[in-house]
Amino acid sequence: MANYTNEISAMMEKVSTMIVTQDKQGFYKSAVGGGYGLFELLVISAVAKADCSIKNIVSHFGVNRNIVNSVVGSLMKSGVLTKIRGENDARVQLLSLTEKGRAVYRLIEAEKQRELEFMLSEASINEEKAILKFLSKYIQYRTEKFVVKPR
């Protein structure tokens, strides 16, 4: 391991702590408002990319259906999501962003872009490659090591 292992470990712990804290307080609160948690942001982003069913979200994120139902209910109550009938199968209800939801999504994306530009503003191309490699290995480890197998 490299000479910075302890520092990297400490920073990773800080990042984890900050994510949990911001999840409870709401991400991008000043820019987006509403105090959306991380999973709410992920659902908004998933629906923005393509209208999808609750079943699709459960499958995509591998999370309990009750959690998804709760988050979807909250987002519908706040006017961000709505349910629409499927084009090919009217029995299927798809989630879709409302106008408010599309506005929230645009704000989220703008904040994410601003955040990324800030973090990479002084990085060289080689440093960007090293960051990408590190994140790729982190995701690989978390995916392979902590994958939840269906029973």
Side-chain angles (χ1 to χ4, degrees):
M1 284 204 239
N3 296 328
Y4 292 100
T5 302
N6 291 337
E7 290 84 353
I8 292 170
S9 178
M11 286 294 191
M12 290 291 292
E13 189 170 329
K14 277 185 176 184
V15 167
S16 298
T17 301
M18 290 173 73
I19 288 172
V20 170
T21 302
Q22 286 181 336
D23 184 43
K24 298 297 180 198
Q25 296 174 348
F27 281 85
Y28 309 125
K29 211 170 185 179
S30 61
V32 178
Y36 298 103
L38 181 58
F39 193 59
E40 290 166 318
L41 295 180
L42 293 172
V43 169
I44 291 168
S45 293
V47 173
K49 291 174 183 147
D51 293 343
C52 56
S53 68
I54 288 177
K55 182 179 178 182
N56 296 136
I57 292 174
V58 167
S59 175
H60 178 74
F61 292 110
V63 78
N64 181 297
R65 186 177 183 92
N66 292 335
I67 294 170
V68 174
N69 283 335
S70 175
V71 167
V72 166
S74 172
L75 291 172
M76 287 180 68
K77 190 176 182 179
S78 68
V80 173
L81 288 182
T82 189
K83 287 184 179 177
I84 58 172
R85 295 272 178 215
E87 251 181 56
N88 299 331
D89 186 350
R91 296 171 298 171
V92 176
Q93 286 194 328
L94 298 176
L95 300 171
S96 183
L97 293 179
T98 63
E99 188 54 45
K100 177 182 177 181
R102 286 188 288 279
V104 167
Y105 176 69
R106 286 189 297 273
L107 289 170
I108 290 166
E109 288 301 304
E111 280 302 300
K112 283 172 34 181
Q113 186 63 34
R114 193 173 70 79
E115 185 177 53
L116 190 58
E117 287 172 4
F118 170 78
M119 289 188 284
L120 296 177
S121 65
E122 297 175 11
S124 69
I125 191 77
N126 288 331
E127 290 168 329
E128 286 185 24
K129 286 180 186 177
I131 292 166
L132 187 58
K133 183 176 181 179
F134 174 80
L135 292 173
S136 177
K137 292 297 268 184
Y138 181 78
I139 290 168
Q140 178 185 2
Y141 179 80
R142 290 287 171 189
T143 304
E144 292 174 5
K145 183 102 176 161
F146 297 106
V147 69
V148 178
K149 305 242 189 256
R151 293 182 181 200

